[in-house]
Amino acid sequence: MAKISLKINGQIREIDVDPNMPLLWTIRDHLGLTGTKYGCGIAQCGSCTVHLNGESVRSCVIPTGTIVDQEITTIEGLSKNNDHPVQLAWIQEQVPQCGYCQSGQIMSTAAMLKKNPNPSDEEIDNALNLVLCRCGCYPRIKKAIKQSIKM
Amino acid sequence: MEQISRRKFIHLSSVSGAFLVVGCVPGPNGDQQVITKVSADLAGLDLNQFISIGLDNSIILYNHRPEMGQGTFQSIPMILAEELEVDIDRVEIRQSEASRDLYGSQMVVGSRSIQTEFEKLRKMGAAARELLKQAAANTWNIGVDQCKASNGSVISEDGKVLTYGQLVEEANKLEPLENPPLKDPKDFKIIGKPVFRKDIPLKTNGEAKFGIDLYTPGMLYASVERSSVFLGKVKSYDDSETLKVPGVKFVFRTEREVYGRKREGVAVLAENYWSAVQGRKALNIEWDTLNLEEISNETITGDSYEAAKKDGDELFGKGDVKNVFKGNSTVIEAAYETPYQAHVPMEPMNAMVSIKDNSAEFWGSTQNPNGIRSFLSKKYEIPENAIKINYTFMGGGFGRRSMTDVAEEAADLSKKSGAPVKVIWTREDDQTQGPFRACSLNVCKAVLDVSGKINALEHKVIAQEIRNQTGDNMTAGRQLMGGINTEYLIPNLSVKGVLRKRHVPISYWRAVYHSTNPFAHESFIDELAHLAGKDPVKFRLDMLDHPRYRRVLSEVAKITNWNAPRPKGTGRGIATAERSGAFFAMVIEVMQKGKSVVPTKITTVLDLGICINPNTVKAQTEGSIVMGLGAAYAGLTIENGSIVEQNFDSYPQLKISQCPEIETLILKSEAPPDGAGESGLPTVAPALANAIFDLTGKRIRKLPIDMDGII
């Protein structure tokens, strides 16, 4: 166990955890931010996607001890009022079904659009290809991304 | 549906004192669904168990079916709001409690929530509306026939208006009608409109709670190591290294029942999930695998082909197939294979249970909340009313969450540890432990007559049956023939089953046998059409006088320009099926891309009776197509008695780049609603295989398909 200080959603949080524990479980079980989801544990499904210094990363494979003093943003910190353009587009296009993977879909999309505000279909596929949705929201995700670009 | 007599209900009420019976409405199957007034809570006055109206005119509608993505969280209240005459956008929707007495069955399986509940929900909405109208009539001292309900108010013929909030106290004193008048479907204002789902904003900011997210003070997390060879028994285990892992509290043997068989494991309980998983990795377990390592895909396939030589049990028959086949040298035969599939809900299986001396509590995502209560009550001899069931949104279910087995593990570990225990399965557990969608072999035979019509057809299904996985009874049941279209006008038609029993556990998977049998049936019909030199759509239509099949087939052919010439390097295939009462036909268009074949567009036409929310029904069809395509591209294999594919790296799920354009047309209908949650899934594999044949001339008779290896 080790005392670790994390900067998450703009706040400094002090915790005492095993530094090898993946960031995912630290976020969920120690910080109580359950919007970030466990899906596979091997960085293959994207449900656990968060932003690390603005880049989308898979929190299930990053040891908590390796990310001290970096900016972490989770779905809870993406916007105050559920009004990030990607969130608004997701509601407009009625994307989620079960909703479980959607934090990962939205965080991955938001990070992609920040870097590349007008992605081609191929660039969208590349950015989201390892963010799995078992309910099959893909056609609506594609529409919502186009929609959020307009916003 | 749980039957509840009025007398029994009054008796229960007098015990609990919580409810007041105010009326009785017959349920959809003639069973009794009692309308009750629940004692008023802070939210408002409950006109019945589905509808609560506040003095401030706030309206709460209760959805009584667990939500796993299918969208009944919105469509059930839409039905209530339609008859109640309120604006669906200004009501609050809440999940109801789990209570068989108040709501009958709350299990979400087989796309039944709308089709079985539609009439009941309409009556609930209408009964409350009529109470409010009567209350207004009493207030104004006029006849109820001079009152009209509209947009949350009652209006008199001479223009007086009272809001529902102003009427609810008076209405609450009245007796509801047993058979309130229902609206003419022509007057529906909400049903049939693409209404936004109120659960969706909760699912874009992390607010929605799933079972895996729940916390209760004092809880422990558990991870369970189980034999990779199904049915393996724990001979012995050494937990000395496990107990050294910081945070680990206990190690226990545990077990759960899966379709009549005990499945054993060793559980590690810890203060946090990560520690439980680390502790589990440090376990040293010796398993007795009962020589089941000898079983592999190869032995299973060999067994299926051997079993196919048997006559089998006739599940459907007309004419005399045997007689036509006898000595006939023109019998056409084809065999189709499908693999095992895992359910793979994105939220891995989990459950939290606390067992105390005379009470219990469950928290989690389940398709079957009352089933969990019954199980806990029986197993721990706790009265049902001392068991609290907290059910949440589910991160997918697809049939897997209709089982209570994970709650059983959590309950066992709570009993042993004395703490509330949350068991979380890893993705590897989910993929390798099952229970799975059954694999199958389908052997089809037919004889065409001189005009090219099918004279005789036999479809033999060789597979395990969910309802009959253990014991000596080897008679195939009708479950095995799910999805085989017996409406084709074939004079001699026979569907047969050859039951297999295997150590691999199976269960209900979205569309169940409709996810395998139509691949064979609709591919074989296509093969016969080509052998007869006929167009596959015309060939089917010529054999069908069923109006709904004819309608969906004709419509999909029309909107996809079936008869128009198509560009070189493209192909298209058709298939049709029925599932949960809904009829649909699908055209898949494919093209050659380098050495691969890729689907470019999938068009589905649905006839599912009255459609409550087209937005949701389209989403369900898109989801069924994505799941069907995933299952056409990947499957599970068995070696050494165990599943080979451990996680998504070896069992790939459909990706966004693999999702073609999808178009769905819902046909207008005033017939009662059918199930929408699985429509489209059964037709994906056959329509795709038929399209591949159209493009390449190669017949796909085995799933999964290697799309890069066809050309």
Side-chain angles (χ1 to χ4, degrees):
Chain A
M1 305 293 271
K3 287 226 187 294
I4 292 174
S5 167
L6 288 177
K7 194 171 181 194
I8 187 157
N9 299 334
Q11 286 186 317
I12 306 281
R13 302 279 298 264
E14 307 280 342
I15 40 165
D16 192 12
V17 296
D18 176 350
N20 291 317
M21 186 192 296
L23 180 60
L24 168 69
W25 298 109
T26 301
I27 291 172
R28 289 179 53 82
D29 294 346
H30 291 266
L31 301 175
L33 296 169
T34 55
T36 305
K37 303 302 190 200
Y38 164 61
C40 70
I42 58 166
Q44 291 291 307
C45 78
S47 286
C48 67
T49 304
V50 298
H51 294 173
L52 189 61
N53 304 321
E55 300 266 345
S56 71
V57 295
R58 305 296 163 95
S59 65
C60 73
V61 290
I62 299 177
T64 305
T66 63
I67 49 159
V68 182
D69 290 335
Q70 301 181 65
E71 297 263 357
I72 305 160
T73 308
T74 68
I75 186 74
E76 291 89 348
L78 184 65
S79 71
K80 274 210 174 73
N81 302 309
N82 207 4
D83 56 359
H84 185 282
V86 174
Q87 290 169 315
L88 294 175
W90 247 241
I91 295 167
Q92 185 58 38
E93 294 300 331
Q94 295 283 289
V95 173
Q97 290 183 31
C98 88
Y100 190 82
C101 73
Q102 297 299 335
S103 301
Q105 304 286 357
I106 289 168
M107 295 306 277
S108 301
T109 302
M112 169 188 70
L113 291 176
K114 208 169 178 186
K115 268 199 199 162
N116 179 4
N118 199 9
S120 65
D121 289 352
E122 206 183 336
E123 286 168 330
I124 292 172
D125 281 353
N126 287 338
L128 294 180
N129 226 13
L130 275 184
V131 195
L132 301 178
C133 175
R134 187 70 169 148
C135 297
C137 296
Y138 300 136
R140 291 171 188 231
I141 288 173
K142 288 181 188 181
K143 276 189 205 159
I145 292 174
K146 306 268 174 190
Q147 184 70 27
S148 68
I149 293 167
K150 285 186 219 152
M151 281 177 175
Chain B
M1 182 155 309
E2 175 87 350
Q3 300 249 342
I4 177 161
S5 71
R6 198 177 167 98
R7 196 185 307 153
K8 181 181 162 205
F9 192 83
I10 292 166
H11 173 68
L12 287 175
S13 308
S14 65
V15 173
S16 73
F19 309 111
L20 178 64
V21 179
V22 295
C24 211
V25 169
N29 305 317
D31 51 339
Q32 298 289 297
Q33 180 66 40
V34 179
I35 297 184
T36 68
K37 280 194 292 196
V38 184
S39 58
D41 69 4
L42 292 174
L45 291 166
D46 296 315
L47 289 179
N48 57 49
Q49 60 271 53
F50 287 92
I51 297 168
S52 175
I53 297 177
L55 299 175
D56 61 354
N57 216 24
S58 60
I59 294 165
I60 298 167
L61 301 180
Y62 288 93
N63 165 41
H64 65 310
R65 291 291 173 119
E67 172 62 48
M68 57 179 158
Q70 83 276 29
T72 46
F73 185 80
Q74 186 72 26
S75 44
I76 282 174
M78 280 171 72
I79 299 167
L80 295 165
E82 180 70 65
E83 291 288 348
L84 184 61
E85 294 288 359
V86 292
D87 178 358
I88 185 69
D89 289 329
R90 63 161 285 251
V91 308
E92 183 188 340
I93 298 173
R94 287 193 194 169
Q95 201 67 45
S96 81
E97 64 179 297
S99 164
R100 228 179 239 137
D101 291 346
L102 287 176
Y103 297 104
S105 171
Q106 292 176 271
M107 187 149 148
V108 281
V109 290
S111 300
R112 288 184 201 146
S113 289
I114 296 297
Q115 52 178 329
T116 63
E117 304 295 282
F118 183 62
E119 284 303 311
K120 178 167 101 187
L121 292 164
R122 289 181 71 190
K123 281 177 179 165
M124 289 287 167
R129 179 195 69 219
E130 292 304 312
L131 278 179
L132 292 156
K133 280 167 68 183
Q134 188 62 54
N138 294 355
T139 308
W140 294 323
N141 207 15
I142 56 175
V144 73
D145 55 337
Q146 291 169 272
C147 298
K148 199 181 106 183
S150 173
N151 198 18
S153 294
V154 179
I155 304 162
S156 70
E157 278 179 352
D158 58 357
K160 289 194 284 285
V161 179
L162 284 169
T163 66
Y164 285 0
Q166 290 168 311
L167 290 166
V168 68
E169 265 185 309
E170 177 66 22
N172 205 254
K173 295 174 194 156
L174 303 174
E175 290 281 315
L177 296 176
E178 283 197 18
N179 282 304
L182 300 180
K183 288 173 75 170
D184 185 329
K186 287 186 182 65
D187 298 328
F188 284 163
K189 292 197 273 287
I190 299 169
I191 289 172
K193 299 285 182 309
V195 173
F196 272 26
R197 280 169 56 175
K198 285 182 193 286
D199 56 328
I200 281 183
L202 304 173
K203 294 173 175 176
T204 58
N205 65 0
E207 206 181 310
K209 289 279 182 245
F210 299 86
I212 200 168
D213 300 330
L214 300 184
Y215 170 85
T216 195
M219 67 180 273
L220 295 174
Y221 294 83
S223 187
V224 184
E225 179 73 12
R226 306 170 193 84
S227 176
S228 69
V229 180
F230 315 107
L231 309 181
K233 305 278 172 212
V234 179
K235 253 197 215 164
S236 64
Y237 68 89
D238 173 3
D239 59 8
S240 50
E241 290 303 311
T242 299
L243 291 168
K244 289 179 196 162
V245 174
V248 169
K249 291 283 182 191
F250 304 104
V251 177
F252 297 117
R253 273 185 201 224
T254 187
E255 61 178 27
R256 67 191 220 284
E257 197 177 305
V258 178
Y259 289 99
R261 283 165 164 157
K262 290 284 179 207
R263 302 278 300 276
E264 295 185 9
V266 179
V268 178
L269 279 61
E271 286 169 350
N272 63 71
Y273 183 59
W274 177 246
S275 295
V277 171
Q278 299 315 299
R280 176 180 164 187
K281 283 182 192 157
L283 283 171
N284 199 343
I285 307 172
E286 204 185 333
W287 297 101
D288 177 4
T289 51
L290 316 165
N291 293 328
L292 294 165
E293 291 99 330
E294 290 164 11
I295 296 172
S296 66
N297 257 35
E298 207 174 312
T299 66
I300 288 171
T301 308
D303 167 77
S304 293
Y305 276 98
E306 194 55 38
K309 294 176 188 160
K310 295 184 185 185
D311 250 357
D313 302 301
E314 186 149 84
L315 306 173
F316 177 92
K318 66 176 179 185
D320 189 349
V321 168
K322 225 176 189 168
N323 194 39
V324 180
F325 287 171
K326 202 174 178 183
N328 193 318
S329 61
T330 64
V331 178
I332 301 147
E333 183 172 339
Y336 303 84
E337 297 173 35
T338 64
Y340 288 108
Q341 298 284 0
H343 294 76
V344 196
M346 286 310 296
E347 179 192 8
M349 296 304 293
N350 64 83
M352 180 156 72
V353 175
S354 173
I355 301 285
K356 293 186 177 152
D357 282 345
N358 271 310
S359 68
E361 190 161 2
F362 162 86
W363 300 260
S365 37
T366 174
Q367 293 175 242
N368 185 10
N370 294 318
I372 288 175
R373 177 183 277 125
S374 301
F375 163 75
L376 293 174
S377 174
K378 266 187 217 131
K379 170 114 190 210
Y380 297 98
E381 295 177 344
I382 298 170
E384 291 214 349
N385 61 12
I387 298 170
K388 192 166 180 212
I389 300 293
N390 310 281
Y391 67 100
T392 64
F393 286 128
M394 282 173 268
F398 314 120
R400 180 63 182 87
R401 288 195 153 90
S402 61
M403 294 179 65
T404 58
D405 61 319
V406 184
E408 192 174 334
E409 281 180 334
D412 180 46
L413 297 171
S414 174
K415 180 80 181 168
K416 284 172 175 158
S417 67
V421 173
K422 177 154 76 173
V423 174
I424 303 175
W425 286 35
T426 62
R427 177 58 60 199
E428 289 82 358
D429 295 337
D430 175 61
Q431 264 182 222
T432 59
Q433 293 294 321
F436 306 96
R437 196 279 309 273
C439 71
S440 71
L441 172 67
N442 290 249
V443 179
C444 299
K445 290 183 193 175
V447 167
L448 297 172
D449 68 18
V450 283
S451 69
K453 285 195 166 176
I454 303 173
N455 177 19
L457 190 148
E458 180 189 273
H459 186 146
K460 196 185 275 182
V461 181
I462 300 100
Q464 293 164 264
E465 192 170 0
I466 302 165
R467 287 188 192 135
N468 184 6
Q469 297 191 48
T470 57
D472 300 329
N473 175 5
M474 291 302 288
T475 307
R478 280 183 64 84
Q479 194 173 39
L480 277 187
M481 67 172 286
I484 295 176
N485 185 350
T486 54
E487 292 292 335
Y488 285 128
L489 299 171
I490 298 167
N492 303 286
L493 177 63
S494 169
V495 180
K496 287 178 169 169
V498 182
L499 179 71
R500 305 317 294 152
K501 287 191 176 171
R502 296 182 173 128
H503 86 303
V504 185
I506 60 161
S507 187
Y508 296 88
W509 188 94
R510 197 174 192 172
V512 201
Y513 292 90
H514 285 66
S515 73
T516 50
N517 292 338
F519 165 60
H521 203 75
E522 282 293 292
S523 292
F524 192 56
I525 294 288
D526 214 72
E527 295 202 33
L528 296 174
H530 285 283
L531 286 170
K534 294 197 176 160
D535 173 77
V537 172
K538 192 171 181 308
F539 187 69
R540 284 173 172 83
L541 284 172
D542 286 347
M543 288 193 291
L544 285 166
D545 61 8
H546 190 286
R548 299 180 76 187
Y549 270 122
R550 289 190 65 84
R551 204 171 160 218
V552 292
L553 271 169
S554 308
E555 209 45 54
V556 82
K558 196 170 106 192
I559 65 171
T560 56
N561 286 319
W562 181 265
N563 291 320
R566 57 193 181 282
K568 211 172 174 305
T570 67
R572 79 253 159 118
I574 189 151
T576 188
E578 169 277 339
R579 170 65 186 160
S580 301
F583 291 77
F584 43 96
M586 177 178 284
V587 168
I588 298 188
E589 295 165 56
V590 297
M591 66 179 283
Q592 188 177 344
K593 207 173 178 183
K595 285 196 164 295
S596 304
V597 177
V598 288
T600 51
K601 186 167 181 188
I602 301 185
T603 308
T604 315
V605 172
L606 301 168
D607 172 3
L608 36 66
I610 291 172
C611 170
I612 311 302
N613 190 350
N615 167 34
T616 312
V617 169
K618 283 186 180 174
Q620 284 302 291
T621 310
E622 288 156 14
S624 289
I625 288 169
V626 166
M627 198 154 172
L629 266 186
Y633 295 166
L636 295 171
T637 43
I638 293 179
E639 270 174 33
N640 301 317
S642 312
I643 294 290
V644 174
E645 296 82 4
Q646 300 281 311
N647 204 320
F648 293 138
D649 48 353
S650 50
Y651 184 46
Q653 302 302 311
L654 201 84
K655 299 176 172 68
I656 194 167
S657 63
Q658 295 172 299
C659 184
E661 184 188 346
I662 293 174
E663 184 184 337
T664 304
L665 175 71
I666 303 165
L667 296 177
K668 257 193 121 44
S669 168
E670 284 184 9
D674 301 302
E678 292 141 293
S679 297
L681 200 155
T683 41
V684 172
L688 180 64
N690 296 340
I692 292 169
F693 177 79
D694 188 47
L695 173 66
T696 66
K698 289 186 186 164
R699 203 32 96 171
I700 303 290
R701 296 199 185 103
K702 186 177 177 179
L703 301 180
I705 308 168
D706 174 8
M707 298 292 281
D708 301 321
I710 299 165
I711 294 168

